[in-house]
Amino acid sequence: KDLIMSIKENYFRLSVMSERLHCLFLEVIKNELAQMNIRDINSVQCIILYHAGNAKEKLSIGEFIQRGYYMSENISYNIKKMVINGYFIQFQCKDDKRCSYVKLSQKGVKLYKKIQELFKKQTHDLENYGINNSDLIKLNEELGNIEKLMKGINNG
């Protein structure tokens, strides 16, 4: 019984900590944007931009969701703002006028490279805290398993 309580408490603690880590991650990006005097994009949009840069191809709004790059229903709003502010170039699909694709503009590529540098700096910080790549691989595998469980619970 104590073991089950322990698992339950640790599972809850993990959920709370995941949320806190995500919020802190967004805050770090927000602070970096402020230091770079960039005010026309927010931290959530930076994450979307980073995924688009990693994909190195044009993406539809649906692909951002299918690939797990974004989970909220306001992806259209964020992408529209990023097009308006010049981070994305938008293309209409030739076969289906209801569908469009986006890719990074020159302004988007410039910010993408700055975000890459930020993450590179943070990886050095992780190493200074004794966290190495194999630790992160294992942690990501475990979190992936929990995500699969949660999706199963949600769909079942």
Side-chain angles (χ1 to χ4, degrees), residues 102-127:
V102 293
K103 73 174 191 174
L104 295 181
S105 66
Q106 281 187 314
K107 182 179 179 181
V109 169
K110 186 177 173 184
L111 181 56
Y112 172 76
K113 288 178 180 177
K114 289 179 181 180
I115 296 168
Q116 278 186 311
E117 287 302 312
L118 167 65
F119 291 161
K120 186 176 179 182
K121 179 192 171 294
Q122 289 177 348
T123 59
H124 293 297
D125 294 342
L126 286 170
E127 290 169 352

Side-chain angles (χ1 to χ4, degrees), residues 125-148:
D125 294 342
L126 286 170
E127 290 169 352
N128 291 338
Y129 274 87
I131 301 168
N132 62 41
N133 195 41
S134 60
D135 295 331
L136 294 175
I137 290 169
K138 180 69 174 158
L139 183 58
N140 281 319
E141 287 173 358
E142 295 297 336
L143 290 172
N145 289 336
I146 293 170
E147 180 183 27
K148 287 176 193 170

